[in-house]
Amino acid sequence: QPTVGKNAEGQLWFALVRGAAMVDPARLTYRDRPPPILIESLRYVPKGGRLPVEALTRGSTEPSLPAGIRQVEVRYTALDFSSPGRHRFRVRLGGERSEWQEMGGERSVVFFELPSGRHRVQVRAAGSDGVWNLEGAQLAFVVAPFFWQTVWFQASAVVSVLGLAGAGGWLASSRRLRQLNVQVALR
């Protein structure tokens, strides 16, 4: 059983199996700097793709994910090694109007059935001292639309429907004119 003692200077002495350890509470410092955050990777299913951090930070374009993905997993961590088990995280998907989701110590988040378009994941972390990194880290990415969700397909569908309606109207009016011509010829 370890024992502890306190000397006149306020130092705490702990008896260990092979010696002693001393902690001076007056020299303990409170770290008021929040931990930096790193987004490590982005995985998507069912295609089984994975974008590591190097691919996420390379270039100025947003990573583009294929159409038809069912889930997106974002892995992140706080770069503070003093007490990694005591880190807490918050995550949100979207803009300023969306709510932060408390993640506790979880270092990944999974989003299901994301619609096509641009998305942004933001991560905040608190270190072992409870100081939150309010700037956080963010990752923007694009989920590609299916071909029938593109503007070109929808525009061509509208033009096709209008063309078919116009052709139907032209056929109906020409049939009506033929009927009128036959009636006039019979008189």
Side-chain angles (χ1 to χ4, degrees):
Q1 288 279 338
T3 58
V4 64
K6 184 176 177 183
N7 65 10
E9 290 86 30
Q11 298 170 332
L12 301 175
W13 287 85
F14 296 89
L16 305 174
V17 174
R18 292 185 174 208
M22 186 270 300
V23 175
D24 187 357
R27 296 181 65 190
L28 292 177
T29 60
Y30 176 75
R31 293 185 355 197
D32 59 349
R33 289 183 29 224
I37 302 166
L38 173 69
I39 295 181
E40 298 177 310
S41 67
L42 181 143
R43 280 183 357 130
Y44 52 92
V45 175
K47 308 283 190 208
R50 181 175 185 271
L51 298 173
V53 68
E54 299 84 29
L56 298 176
T57 57
R58 188 180 327 124
S60 61
T61 61
E62 299 168 338
S64 182
L65 308 182
I69 59 172
R70 293 294 202 195
Q71 68 184 44
V72 173
E73 177 186 25
V74 177
R75 292 186 178 271
Y76 49 84
T77 191
L79 300 176
D80 174 17
F81 305 108
S82 60
S83 295
R86 295 182 59 198
H87 293 156
R88 295 188 328 262
F89 298 94
R90 291 181 182 153
V91 175
R92 77 174 168 185
L93 177 68
E96 303 301 320
R97 290 181 275 155
S98 59
E99 295 292 322
W100 287 97
Q101 179 181 354
E102 292 289 336
M103 301 302 294
E106 286 293 318
R107 295 175 189 273
S108 68
V109 63
V110 179
F111 301 103
F112 296 95
E113 304 291 336
L114 290 178
S116 62
R118 284 190 161 77
H119 299 280
R120 184 176 63 177
V121 176
Q122 295 174 292
V123 180
R124 288 182 176 173
S128 57
D129 294 325
V131 178
W132 283 93
N133 181 336
L134 298 179
E135 181 181 325
Q138 63 181 344
L139 169 67
F141 59 93
V142 176
V143 176
F146 286 106
F147 74 92
W148 62 83
Q149 294 173 322
T150 62
V151 172
W152 292 106
F153 181 83
Q154 293 170 351
S156 64
V158 167
V159 168
S160 297
V161 166
L162 291 175
L164 285 174
W170 181 79
L171 284 174
S173 67
S174 65
R175 180 181 297 151
R176 179 72 179 140
L177 280 175
R178 268 189 260 132
Q179 288 175 352
L180 286 174
N181 285 337
V182 168
Q183 288 175 358
V184 168
L186 290 178
R187 288 188 195 173

